[in-house]
Amino acid sequence: VTDTLYYAYGVLAATEPAAVTAEVRGVGGAEVSLLPGARLAVAFSSVPADQFEESSLERRLEDPDWTSTLAMSHFEAVAGLHSRVPVLPLRLCTVFRSAQRAVATVDANTLPLEQALATVAGCDEWSVTVRGARAPATATTPEPTTGAEYLRRVASRGRQRAEEMVEAEETARDLHALLAGLAVATEPAVDTAGSGVRRTYLVHRRNARRFLDVLERSDAGATRLAVDVRGPWAPYSFVPVLREAA
Amino acid sequence: MTQVVDVRGDGTLVDLLDRLLAGGVVIAGDVVLSVADIDLVRVRLLALLSSVPTAAPTGRGDGSGGRS
């Protein structure tokens, strides 16, 4: 049993030592360092085993405050790397028991990881959600006085929601036609619980301004819809699916 | 109306957790938590956090963070 574990943030080319400077900090403010493998390196920091060993980690992850702090640290470490070199983020809480296992795992997956690194080089991830603007019920509308009136209103709200959803899908399709050409890769549209359509784009930084211009100009007709743009993320959604290490 | 949220300063916690728990390279094998464990954490946390107003995460206050 060891006292420290290896909390891994991302995978990058082993030829990028400049990725890590003292400014890149991870969990608990610890310095992030690299574990170099054959061609790739794992960016990690040491974490105390008593907090990150399986049983206690599961318990701690049920505490939203602890997990939010962890998520912020992970996000900032990945963002720090991402602002300097191409990096593939690892999922939250990728904790290795030994440095050797961490390196062996990425080495065993060199090919898909290198291909993905080449794809994301110089790119940021952006998510675009188109949804109904959800005009709030106006305070001036009197309370329904009869059951029939109540049901009419429910039906009318349902119709309005459905119409907005159709409009959102149409607008999302139109926008996608304009945005796809500016993106390196696109994730399929996701229906966000019936309230909108979300797509995720991988966009080269040299095209970021044009990408955002398209979105900002899209205002024109879509008064009933809201377009919600979030980014720039490290490429969390554009990572390969790895086979299990032997 | 188009709203652009710069996640380096104004991202929400739900957004962040969704990205970090649903995205990123998944390592199976000799890691502390299995994929299934992490998926379960995600479902529980997002359910919990979606039911309360979300606070914007703040930087750690050393002023040297990722804003550029």
Side-chain angles (χ1 to χ4, degrees), chain A residues 166-208:
Chain A
V166 170
E167 275 180 53
E169 278 165 8
E170 279 170 9
T171 303
R173 253 198 311 277
D174 293 348
L175 268 180
H176 181 61
L178 297 169
L179 295 174
L182 293 169
V184 170
T186 310
E187 278 285 288
V190 178
D191 181 346
T192 59
S195 63
V197 182
R198 184 175 73 201
R199 277 183 194 273
T200 305
Y201 296 88
L202 185 67
V203 183
H204 199 283
R205 285 179 201 129
R206 67 171 171 260
N207 283 330

mmCIF file of all heavy atoms in Angstrom, chain A residues 166-208:
data_model
loop_
_atom_site.group_PDB
_atom_site.id
_atom_site.type_symbol
_atom_site.label_atom_id
_atom_site.label_comp_id
_atom_site.label_asym_id
_atom_site.label_seq_id
_atom_site.Cartn_x
_atom_site.Cartn_y
_atom_site.Cartn_z
ATOM 1 N N VAL A 166 -39.936 22.236 -32.447
ATOM 2 C CA VAL A 166 -39.806 22.099 -33.897
ATOM 3 C C VAL A 166 -38.963 23.245 -34.445
ATOM 4 O O VAL A 166 -38.051 23.050 -35.253
ATOM 5 C CB VAL A 166 -41.203 22.069 -34.582
ATOM 6 C CG1 VAL A 166 -41.058 22.178 -36.090
ATOM 7 C CG2 VAL A 166 -41.930 20.785 -34.198
ATOM 8 N N GLU A 167 -39.263 24.456 -33.972
ATOM 9 C CA GLU A 167 -38.471 25.614 -34.409
ATOM 10 C C GLU A 167 -37.013 25.463 -34.027
ATOM 11 O O GLU A 167 -36.109 25.789 -34.801
ATOM 12 C CB GLU A 167 -39.010 26.901 -33.758
ATOM 13 C CG GLU A 167 -40.153 27.533 -34.504
ATOM 14 C CD GLU A 167 -40.609 28.797 -33.780
ATOM 15 O OE1 GLU A 167 -39.760 29.664 -33.515
ATOM 16 O OE2 GLU A 167 -41.806 28.884 -33.458
ATOM 17 N N ALA A 168 -36.786 24.974 -32.793
ATOM 18 C CA ALA A 168 -35.404 24.800 -32.329
ATOM 19 C C ALA A 168 -34.672 23.815 -33.218
ATOM 20 O O ALA A 168 -33.515 24.033 -33.590
ATOM 21 C CB ALA A 168 -35.396 24.322 -30.880
ATOM 22 N N GLU A 169 -35.354 22.718 -33.581
ATOM 23 C CA GLU A 169 -34.705 21.723 -34.429
ATOM 24 C C GLU A 169 -34.372 22.303 -35.798
ATOM 25 O O GLU A 169 -33.295 22.062 -36.334
ATOM 26 C CB GLU A 169 -35.594 20.478 -34.560
ATOM 27 C CG GLU A 169 -35.430 19.557 -33.361
ATOM 28 C CD GLU A 169 -36.525 18.504 -33.257
ATOM 29 O OE1 GLU A 169 -37.342 18.385 -34.197
ATOM 30 O OE2 GLU A 169 -36.562 17.817 -32.220
ATOM 31 N N GLU A 170 -35.321 23.091 -36.343
ATOM 32 C CA GLU A 170 -35.071 23.710 -37.655
ATOM 33 C C GLU A 170 -33.902 24.686 -37.581
ATOM 34 O O GLU A 170 -32.995 24.670 -38.417
ATOM 35 C CB GLU A 170 -36.318 24.453 -38.144
ATOM 36 C CG GLU A 170 -37.341 23.521 -38.763
ATOM 37 C CD GLU A 170 -38.668 24.233 -39.007
ATOM 38 O OE1 GLU A 170 -38.722 25.482 -38.846
ATOM 39 O OE2 GLU A 170 -39.637 23.535 -39.355
ATOM 40 N N THR A 171 -33.933 25.543 -36.555
ATOM 41 C CA THR A 171 -32.854 26.529 -36.413
ATOM 42 C C THR A 171 -31.518 25.839 -36.195
ATOM 43 O O THR A 171 -30.492 26.245 -36.752
ATOM 44 C CB THR A 171 -33.166 27.482 -35.240
ATOM 45 O OG1 THR A 171 -34.424 28.092 -35.482
ATOM 46 C CG2 THR A 171 -32.097 28.538 -35.095
ATOM 47 N N ALA A 172 -31.528 24.777 -35.376
ATOM 48 C CA ALA A 172 -30.283 24.048 -35.116
ATOM 49 C C ALA A 172 -29.743 23.456 -36.418
ATOM 50 O O ALA A 172 -28.532 23.471 -36.656
ATOM 51 C CB ALA A 172 -30.520 22.955 -34.080
ATOM 52 N N ARG A 173 -30.650 22.960 -37.256
ATOM 53 C CA ARG A 173 -30.209 22.392 -38.538
ATOM 54 C C ARG A 173 -29.605 23.475 -39.427
ATOM 55 O O ARG A 173 -28.552 23.281 -40.037
ATOM 56 C CB ARG A 173 -31.395 21.740 -39.266
ATOM 57 C CG ARG A 173 -31.365 20.224 -39.267
ATOM 58 C CD ARG A 173 -32.277 19.637 -40.347
ATOM 59 N NE ARG A 173 -33.617 20.190 -40.351
ATOM 60 C CZ ARG A 173 -34.597 19.775 -39.549
ATOM 61 N NH1 ARG A 173 -34.384 18.798 -38.680
ATOM 62 N NH2 ARG A 173 -35.797 20.319 -39.606
ATOM 63 N N ASP A 174 -30.290 24.627 -39.485
ATOM 64 C CA ASP A 174 -29.786 25.734 -40.314
ATOM 65 C C ASP A 174 -28.424 26.212 -39.809
ATOM 66 O O ASP A 174 -27.507 26.453 -40.591
ATOM 67 C CB ASP A 174 -30.773 26.911 -40.292
ATOM 68 C CG ASP A 174 -32.083 26.555 -40.988
ATOM 69 O OD1 ASP A 174 -32.119 25.498 -41.667
ATOM 70 O OD2 ASP A 174 -33.056 27.316 -40.843
ATOM 71 N N LEU A 175 -28.337 26.368 -38.493
ATOM 72 C CA LEU A 175 -27.069 26.813 -37.914
ATOM 73 C C LEU A 175 -25.960 25.804 -38.197
ATOM 74 O O LEU A 175 -24.841 26.165 -38.551
ATOM 75 C CB LEU A 175 -27.206 26.949 -36.393
ATOM 76 C CG LEU A 175 -27.595 28.298 -35.830
ATOM 77 C CD1 LEU A 175 -27.674 28.211 -34.319
ATOM 78 C CD2 LEU A 175 -26.582 29.370 -36.244
ATOM 79 N N HIS A 176 -26.321 24.522 -38.037
ATOM 80 C CA HIS A 176 -25.319 23.482 -38.240
ATOM 81 C C HIS A 176 -24.767 23.520 -39.663
ATOM 82 O O HIS A 176 -23.574 23.318 -39.879
ATOM 83 C CB HIS A 176 -25.917 22.113 -37.933
ATOM 84 C CG HIS A 176 -24.936 20.992 -38.101
ATOM 85 N ND1 HIS A 176 -23.782 20.906 -37.350
ATOM 86 C CD2 HIS A 176 -24.908 19.935 -38.959
ATOM 87 C CE1 HIS A 176 -23.096 19.832 -37.727
ATOM 88 N NE2 HIS A 176 -23.753 19.237 -38.703
ATOM 89 N N ALA A 177 -25.647 23.825 -40.619
ATOM 90 C CA ALA A 177 -25.202 23.902 -42.010
ATOM 91 C C ALA A 177 -24.127 24.982 -42.160
ATOM 92 O O ALA A 177 -23.180 24.838 -42.937
ATOM 93 C CB ALA A 177 -26.389 24.190 -42.926
ATOM 94 N N LEU A 178 -24.275 26.069 -41.374
ATOM 95 C CA LEU A 178 -23.296 27.156 -41.454
ATOM 96 C C LEU A 178 -22.039 26.851 -40.639
ATOM 97 O O LEU A 178 -20.936 27.231 -41.012
ATOM 98 C CB LEU A 178 -23.921 28.455 -40.931
ATOM 99 C CG LEU A 178 -25.110 29.008 -41.707
ATOM 100 C CD1 LEU A 178 -25.775 30.129 -40.924
ATOM 101 C CD2 LEU A 178 -24.645 29.504 -43.079
ATOM 102 N N LEU A 179 -22.236 26.159 -39.503
ATOM 103 C CA LEU A 179 -21.120 25.955 -38.574
ATOM 104 C C LEU A 179 -20.226 24.776 -38.952
ATOM 105 O O LEU A 179 -19.018 24.799 -38.715
ATOM 106 C CB LEU A 179 -21.664 25.718 -37.158
ATOM 107 C CG LEU A 179 -22.411 26.887 -36.524
ATOM 108 C CD1 LEU A 179 -23.017 26.453 -35.185
ATOM 109 C CD2 LEU A 179 -21.485 28.077 -36.315
ATOM 110 N N ALA A 180 -20.842 23.751 -39.551
ATOM 111 C CA ALA A 180 -20.091 22.520 -39.810
ATOM 112 C C ALA A 180 -18.849 22.790 -40.651
ATOM 113 O O ALA A 180 -17.795 22.200 -40.415
ATOM 114 C CB ALA A 180 -20.992 21.494 -40.483
ATOM 115 N N GLY A 181 -18.992 23.711 -41.618
ATOM 116 C CA GLY A 181 -17.866 24.011 -42.489
ATOM 117 C C GLY A 181 -16.713 24.698 -41.773
ATOM 118 O O GLY A 181 -15.586 24.709 -42.261
ATOM 119 N N LEU A 182 -17.006 25.279 -40.597
ATOM 120 C CA LEU A 182 -15.961 25.969 -39.851
ATOM 121 C C LEU A 182 -15.341 25.075 -38.774
ATOM 122 O O LEU A 182 -14.408 25.471 -38.084
ATOM 123 C CB LEU A 182 -16.538 27.224 -39.184
ATOM 124 C CG LEU A 182 -16.986 28.329 -40.140
ATOM 125 C CD1 LEU A 182 -17.780 29.392 -39.401
ATOM 126 C CD2 LEU A 182 -15.771 28.958 -40.824
ATOM 127 N N ALA A 183 -15.905 23.870 -38.627
ATOM 128 C CA ALA A 183 -15.443 22.979 -37.563
ATOM 129 C C ALA A 183 -14.592 21.852 -38.124
ATOM 130 O O ALA A 183 -14.755 21.442 -39.262
ATOM 131 C CB ALA A 183 -16.630 22.407 -36.814
ATOM 132 N N VAL A 184 -13.692 21.371 -37.286
ATOM 133 C CA VAL A 184 -12.851 20.231 -37.647
ATOM 134 C C VAL A 184 -13.641 18.935 -37.471
ATOM 135 O O VAL A 184 -13.485 17.984 -38.227
ATOM 136 C CB VAL A 184 -11.586 20.203 -36.747
ATOM 137 C CG1 VAL A 184 -10.799 18.925 -36.912
ATOM 138 C CG2 VAL A 184 -10.715 21.424 -37.035
ATOM 139 N N ALA A 185 -14.491 18.903 -36.461
ATOM 140 C CA ALA A 185 -15.299 17.713 -36.176
ATOM 141 C C ALA A 185 -16.542 18.145 -35.420
ATOM 142 O O ALA A 185 -16.578 19.225 -34.834
ATOM 143 C CB ALA A 185 -14.501 16.707 -35.346
ATOM 144 N N THR A 186 -17.574 17.304 -35.449
ATOM 145 C CA THR A 186 -18.843 17.605 -34.798
ATOM 146 C C THR A 186 -19.349 16.372 -34.077
ATOM 147 O O THR A 186 -19.239 15.268 -34.599
ATOM 148 C CB THR A 186 -19.909 18.002 -35.847
ATOM 149 O OG1 THR A 186 -19.364 18.993 -36.692
ATOM 150 C CG2 THR A 186 -21.150 18.525 -35.185
ATOM 151 N N GLU A 187 -19.893 16.592 -32.898
ATOM 152 C CA GLU A 187 -20.577 15.511 -32.196
ATOM 153 C C GLU A 187 -22.033 15.528 -32.621
ATOM 154 O O GLU A 187 -22.595 16.597 -32.868
ATOM 155 C CB GLU A 187 -20.492 15.733 -30.686
ATOM 156 C CG GLU A 187 -19.196 15.275 -30.081
ATOM 157 C CD GLU A 187 -19.147 13.759 -29.979
ATOM 158 O OE1 GLU A 187 -19.849 13.215 -29.136
ATOM 159 O OE2 GLU A 187 -18.402 13.147 -30.758
ATOM 160 N N PRO A 188 -22.688 14.368 -32.683
ATOM 161 C CA PRO A 188 -24.094 14.336 -33.090
ATOM 162 C C PRO A 188 -24.971 15.194 -32.184
ATOM 163 O O PRO A 188 -24.624 15.429 -31.028
ATOM 164 C CB PRO A 188 -24.477 12.864 -32.943
ATOM 165 C CG PRO A 188 -23.235 12.118 -32.737
ATOM 166 C CD PRO A 188 -22.166 13.059 -32.341
ATOM 167 N N ALA A 189 -26.107 15.647 -32.723
ATOM 168 C CA ALA A 189 -27.027 16.475 -31.948
ATOM 169 C C ALA A 189 -27.583 15.672 -30.777
ATOM 170 O O ALA A 189 -27.850 14.491 -30.888
ATOM 171 C CB ALA A 189 -28.163 16.956 -32.835
ATOM 172 N N VAL A 190 -27.724 16.356 -29.647
ATOM 173 C CA VAL A 190 -28.288 15.732 -28.462
ATOM 174 C C VAL A 190 -29.555 16.493 -28.109
ATOM 175 O O VAL A 190 -29.562 17.716 -28.067
ATOM 176 C CB VAL A 190 -27.298 15.839 -27.273
ATOM 177 C CG1 VAL A 190 -27.907 15.240 -26.019
ATOM 178 C CG2 VAL A 190 -25.984 15.169 -27.623
ATOM 179 N N ASP A 191 -30.646 15.746 -27.883
ATOM 180 C CA ASP A 191 -31.890 16.372 -27.447
ATOM 181 C C ASP A 191 -31.786 16.567 -25.937
ATOM 182 O O ASP A 191 -31.698 15.614 -25.182
ATOM 183 C CB ASP A 191 -33.047 15.429 -27.808
ATOM 184 C CG ASP A 191 -34.396 16.009 -27.405
ATOM 185 O OD1 ASP A 191 -34.416 16.973 -26.629
ATOM 186 O OD2 ASP A 191 -35.412 15.472 -27.861
ATOM 187 N N THR A 192 -31.750 17.838 -25.491
ATOM 188 C CA THR A 192 -31.562 18.093 -24.066
ATOM 189 C C THR A 192 -32.907 18.030 -23.349
ATOM 190 O O THR A 192 -33.526 19.046 -23.080
ATOM 191 C CB THR A 192 -30.888 19.448 -23.817
ATOM 192 O OG1 THR A 192 -31.717 20.461 -24.398
ATOM 193 C CG2 THR A 192 -29.525 19.520 -24.437
ATOM 194 N N ALA A 193 -33.340 16.831 -23.072
ATOM 195 C CA ALA A 193 -34.567 16.570 -22.320
ATOM 196 C C ALA A 193 -35.766 17.330 -22.889
ATOM 197 O O ALA A 193 -36.535 17.940 -22.158
ATOM 198 C CB ALA A 193 -34.361 16.908 -20.850
ATOM 199 N N GLY A 194 -35.915 17.311 -24.203
ATOM 200 C CA GLY A 194 -37.083 17.912 -24.830
ATOM 201 C C GLY A 194 -37.095 19.425 -24.829
ATOM 202 O O GLY A 194 -38.062 20.040 -25.258
ATOM 203 N N SER A 195 -36.034 20.057 -24.347
ATOM 204 C CA SER A 195 -36.077 21.511 -24.246
ATOM 205 C C SER A 195 -35.172 22.188 -25.260
ATOM 206 O O SER A 195 -35.145 23.403 -25.358
ATOM 207 C CB SER A 195 -35.694 21.949 -22.834
ATOM 208 O OG SER A 195 -34.367 21.569 -22.576
ATOM 209 N N GLY A 196 -34.436 21.423 -26.018
ATOM 210 C CA GLY A 196 -33.557 22.049 -26.988
ATOM 211 C C GLY A 196 -32.676 21.025 -27.673
ATOM 212 O O GLY A 196 -32.768 19.839 -27.414
ATOM 213 N N VAL A 197 -31.841 21.542 -28.570
ATOM 214 C CA VAL A 197 -30.948 20.676 -29.327
ATOM 215 C C VAL A 197 -29.521 21.166 -29.115
ATOM 216 O O VAL A 197 -29.238 22.350 -29.291
ATOM 217 C CB VAL A 197 -31.280 20.729 -30.841
ATOM 218 C CG1 VAL A 197 -30.376 19.784 -31.617
ATOM 219 C CG2 VAL A 197 -32.742 20.388 -31.087
ATOM 220 N N ARG A 198 -28.657 20.270 -28.724
ATOM 221 C CA ARG A 198 -27.270 20.668 -28.480
ATOM 222 C C ARG A 198 -26.314 19.918 -29.398
ATOM 223 O O ARG A 198 -26.429 18.716 -29.587
ATOM 224 C CB ARG A 198 -26.887 20.369 -27.031
ATOM 225 C CG ARG A 198 -25.472 20.860 -26.702
ATOM 226 C CD ARG A 198 -25.140 20.680 -25.247
ATOM 227 N NE ARG A 198 -24.914 19.281 -24.942
ATOM 228 C CZ ARG A 198 -25.008 18.761 -23.722
ATOM 229 N NH1 ARG A 198 -25.349 19.501 -22.705
ATOM 230 N NH2 ARG A 198 -24.779 17.476 -23.529
ATOM 231 N N ARG A 199 -25.392 20.665 -29.981
ATOM 232 C CA ARG A 199 -24.317 20.052 -30.741
ATOM 233 C C ARG A 199 -22.992 20.549 -30.192
ATOM 234 O O ARG A 199 -22.905 21.659 -29.678
ATOM 235 C CB ARG A 199 -24.397 20.430 -32.225
ATOM 236 C CG ARG A 199 -25.356 19.599 -33.022
ATOM 237 C CD ARG A 199 -25.280 20.031 -34.472
ATOM 238 N NE ARG A 199 -26.394 19.525 -35.253
ATOM 239 C CZ ARG A 199 -26.403 18.334 -35.846
ATOM 240 N NH1 ARG A 199 -25.363 17.551 -35.762
ATOM 241 N NH2 ARG A 199 -27.444 17.950 -36.531
ATOM 242 N N THR A 200 -21.973 19.708 -30.344
ATOM 243 C CA THR A 200 -20.654 20.079 -29.862
ATOM 244 C C THR A 200 -19.692 20.092 -31.040
ATOM 245 O O THR A 200 -19.698 19.165 -31.853
ATOM 246 C CB THR A 200 -20.189 19.082 -28.776
ATOM 247 O OG1 THR A 200 -21.189 19.033 -27.769
ATOM 248 C CG2 THR A 200 -18.886 19.530 -28.154
ATOM 249 N N TYR A 201 -18.917 21.166 -31.116
ATOM 250 C CA TYR A 201 -18.036 21.372 -32.266
ATOM 251 C C TYR A 201 -16.584 21.463 -31.822
ATOM 252 O O TYR A 201 -16.286 22.033 -30.764
ATOM 253 C CB TYR A 201 -18.385 22.682 -32.983
ATOM 254 C CG TYR A 201 -19.769 22.691 -33.595
ATOM 255 C CD1 TYR A 201 -20.871 23.086 -32.852
ATOM 256 C CD2 TYR A 201 -19.960 22.306 -34.912
ATOM 257 C CE1 TYR A 201 -22.144 23.087 -33.401
ATOM 258 C CE2 TYR A 201 -21.229 22.307 -35.477
ATOM 259 C CZ TYR A 201 -22.304 22.697 -34.723
ATOM 260 O OH TYR A 201 -23.563 22.698 -35.273
ATOM 261 N N LEU A 202 -15.708 20.922 -32.648
ATOM 262 C CA LEU A 202 -14.274 21.097 -32.459
ATOM 263 C C LEU A 202 -13.827 22.137 -33.487
ATOM 264 O O LEU A 202 -13.944 21.903 -34.685
ATOM 265 C CB LEU A 202 -13.554 19.761 -32.685
ATOM 266 C CG LEU A 202 -12.057 19.749 -32.402
ATOM 267 C CD1 LEU A 202 -11.776 19.942 -30.912
ATOM 268 C CD2 LEU A 202 -11.430 18.435 -32.884
ATOM 269 N N VAL A 203 -13.358 23.279 -33.003
ATOM 270 C CA VAL A 203 -13.087 24.408 -33.897
ATOM 271 C C VAL A 203 -11.644 24.865 -33.737
ATOM 272 O O VAL A 203 -11.177 25.093 -32.613
ATOM 273 C CB VAL A 203 -14.028 25.596 -33.570
ATOM 274 C CG1 VAL A 203 -13.791 26.751 -34.542
ATOM 275 C CG2 VAL A 203 -15.481 25.149 -33.627
ATOM 276 N N HIS A 204 -10.953 24.988 -34.868
ATOM 277 C CA HIS A 204 -9.583 25.497 -34.814
ATOM 278 C C HIS A 204 -9.607 26.957 -34.366
ATOM 279 O O HIS A 204 -10.508 27.705 -34.746
ATOM 280 C CB HIS A 204 -8.906 25.373 -36.180
ATOM 281 C CG HIS A 204 -7.411 25.440 -36.072
ATOM 282 N ND1 HIS A 204 -6.741 26.626 -35.889
ATOM 283 C CD2 HIS A 204 -6.470 24.464 -36.057
ATOM 284 C CE1 HIS A 204 -5.443 26.382 -35.788
ATOM 285 N NE2 HIS A 204 -5.247 25.081 -35.886
ATOM 286 N N ARG A 205 -8.609 27.341 -33.558
ATOM 287 C CA ARG A 205 -8.631 28.705 -32.996
ATOM 288 C C ARG A 205 -8.631 29.780 -34.081
ATOM 289 O O ARG A 205 -9.181 30.851 -33.896
ATOM 290 C CB ARG A 205 -7.456 28.917 -32.042
ATOM 291 C CG ARG A 205 -7.718 28.211 -30.728
ATOM 292 C CD ARG A 205 -6.603 28.333 -29.729
ATOM 293 N NE ARG A 205 -6.771 27.227 -28.783
ATOM 294 C CZ ARG A 205 -5.816 26.393 -28.446
ATOM 295 N NH1 ARG A 205 -4.596 26.536 -28.912
ATOM 296 N NH2 ARG A 205 -6.064 25.403 -27.615
ATOM 297 N N ARG A 206 -8.047 29.465 -35.238
ATOM 298 C CA ARG A 206 -8.035 30.494 -36.284
ATOM 299 C C ARG A 206 -9.440 30.719 -36.852
ATOM 300 O O ARG A 206 -9.703 31.732 -37.496
ATOM 301 C CB ARG A 206 -7.038 30.147 -37.404
ATOM 302 C CG ARG A 206 -7.412 28.945 -38.204
ATOM 303 C CD ARG A 206 -6.545 28.733 -39.429
ATOM 304 N NE ARG A 206 -6.877 27.429 -39.983
ATOM 305 C CZ ARG A 206 -6.157 26.331 -39.798
ATOM 306 N NH1 ARG A 206 -5.031 26.380 -39.146
ATOM 307 N NH2 ARG A 206 -6.547 25.184 -40.285
ATOM 308 N N ASN A 207 -10.360 29.769 -36.618
ATOM 309 C CA ASN A 207 -11.736 29.928 -37.102
ATOM 310 C C ASN A 207 -12.716 30.317 -36.004
ATOM 311 O O ASN A 207 -13.921 30.453 -36.277
ATOM 312 C CB ASN A 207 -12.225 28.620 -37.753
ATOM 313 C CG ASN A 207 -11.652 28.437 -39.142
ATOM 314 O OD1 ASN A 207 -11.384 29.428 -39.839
ATOM 315 N ND2 ASN A 207 -11.448 27.202 -39.547
ATOM 316 N N ALA A 208 -12.216 30.473 -34.781
ATOM 317 C CA ALA A 208 -13.118 30.697 -33.645
ATOM 318 C C ALA A 208 -13.944 31.968 -33.831
ATOM 319 O O ALA A 208 -15.153 31.988 -33.580
ATOM 320 C CB ALA A 208 -12.323 30.757 -32.349
#
